């Protein structure tokens, strides 16, 4: 399978949101108990609207058809009154029919490469702890970083792109965008999801 990774364009927006919706809501995924939010397509939509938060957005093509997508946003690690810019990524989406064919792997590797080229010092995010360590991600606790409430768990992961980048921020806390707060955005998500269904 020939996979081409490129930057997302405005012409890709609707297709990408459909892929994201399908990737996180198809019955087999739910049956297998995969983690994820059914409103990930709204997150992608919202990231594009906010000034200064969208850092990197890539699509995967097979036979000139978009079949996958990864999006990154700016986040921070905070300690005392100091803040350190870091990169957050997610969601990562691949059409169900194309999963387990190396598309997610190609998107992640391209994202890491792109983050380095943009001079990001570290990537932090929440995801599947059984999947991402193969790319070099470790639990954030290994770097002394906790989530915004001071907790650590296996799904909270990190990768330093610049060695020692986080060393002065041990015991710091990670803050991502409020769009990832399901409770805060529940009503906005419902409104958008209703209009989105009309376009499927």
């Amino acid at each position: 399978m020939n996979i081409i990774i490129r930057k997302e364009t405005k012409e890709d927006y609707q297709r990408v949101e459909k892929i994201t919706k399908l990737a996180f809501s198809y019955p087999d995924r739910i049956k297998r108990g995969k983690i994820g939010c059914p409103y990930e397509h709204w997150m992608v939509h919202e990231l594009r609207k906010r000034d200064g938060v969208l850092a990197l957005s890539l699509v995967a093509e097979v036979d000139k058809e978009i079949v996958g997508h990864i999006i990154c946003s700016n986040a921070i690690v905070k300690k005392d009154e100091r803040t350190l810019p870091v990169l957050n990524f997610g969601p990562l989406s691949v059409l169900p029919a194309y999963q387990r064919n190396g598309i997610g792997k190609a998107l992640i590797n391209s994202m890491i490469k792109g983050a380095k080229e943009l001079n990001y010092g570290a990537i932090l995010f929440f995801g599947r702890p059984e999947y991402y360590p193969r790319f070099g991600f470790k639990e954030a606790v290994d770097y002394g970083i906790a989530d915004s409430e001071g907790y650590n768990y296996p799904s909270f992961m990190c990768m330093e792109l610049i060695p020692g980048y986080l060393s002065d921020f041990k015991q710091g806390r990670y803050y991502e965008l409020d769009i990832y707060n399901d409770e805060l955005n529940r009503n906005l998500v419902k409104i958008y999801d209703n209009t989105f269904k009309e376009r499927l």
Side-chain angles (χ1 to χ4, degrees), residues 3-6 58-62 65-69 103 107:
I3 304 167
I4 295 172
I5 308 296
R6 64 168 175 81
L58 304 172
V59 297
E61 287 186 335
V62 174
E65 178 184 8
I66 299 174
V67 298
H69 174 250
I103 293 167
L107 282 164

Side-chain angles (χ1 to χ4, degrees), residues 4-189:
I4 295 172
I5 308 296
R6 64 168 175 81
K7 289 183 179 179
E8 182 191 46
T9 68
K10 287 185 178 180
E11 289 73 26
D12 303 325
Y13 284 6
Q14 188 169 354
R15 171 70 176 171
V16 162
E17 289 176 28
K18 287 182 179 179
I19 288 171
T20 307
K21 174 75 171 177
L22 292 169
F24 284 91
S25 61
Y26 76 101
D28 186 52
R29 178 186 178 87
I30 297 169
K31 183 179 178 181
R32 289 186 282 119
K34 295 299 183 182
I35 64 172
C37 166
Y39 306 125
E40 305 270 356
H41 58 297
W42 175 81
M43 294 176 184
V44 171
H45 175 77
E46 191 69 16
L47 279 171
R48 299 192 191 110
K49 289 169 50 180
R50 301 197 184 187
D51 292 337
V53 301
L54 182 60
L56 188 65
S57 187
L58 304 172
V59 297
E61 287 186 335
V62 174
D63 297 329
K64 298 183 179 180
E65 178 184 8
I66 299 174
V67 298
H69 174 250
I70 191 169
I71 195 165
C72 303
S73 56
N74 291 305
I76 61 167
V77 172
K78 186 174 182 179
K79 182 178 180 181
D80 302 321
E81 298 303 315
R82 296 182 298 148
T83 60
L84 186 70
V86 295
L87 187 70
N88 169 70
F89 90 82
L92 164 67
S93 309
V94 178
L95 273 178
Y98 287 85
Q99 292 181 6
R100 293 188 285 273
N101 283 290
I103 293 167
K105 177 181 178 181
L107 282 164
I108 293 167
N109 285 331
S110 294
M111 179 272 294
I112 293 169
K113 181 179 181 223
K116 289 178 179 178
E117 290 172 352
L118 291 170
N119 296 316
Y120 281 92
I123 303 169
L124 290 99
F125 73 106
F126 301 93
R128 290 164 48 197
E130 74 278 11
Y131 179 70
Y132 291 102
R134 72 189 70 181
F135 299 99
F137 289 98
K138 300 177 182 179
E139 290 186 35
V141 69
D142 291 349
Y143 296 94
I145 308 298
D147 73 4
S148 61
E149 297 181 351
Y151 297 112
N152 282 103
Y153 27 84
S155 61
F156 179 33
M157 285 173 279
C158 177
M159 175 191 289
E160 274 192 331
L161 302 176
I162 298 173
Y165 185 75
L166 296 167
S167 59
D168 289 338
F169 278 76
K170 289 183 178 178
Q171 298 182 337
R173 295 190 180 188
Y174 170 69
Y175 294 86
E176 60 185 355
L177 295 171
D178 61 6
I179 69 162
Y180 297 101
N181 185 324
D182 294 346
E183 292 297 323
L184 180 65
N185 297 296
R186 191 176 301 276
N187 289 333
L188 290 174
V189 169

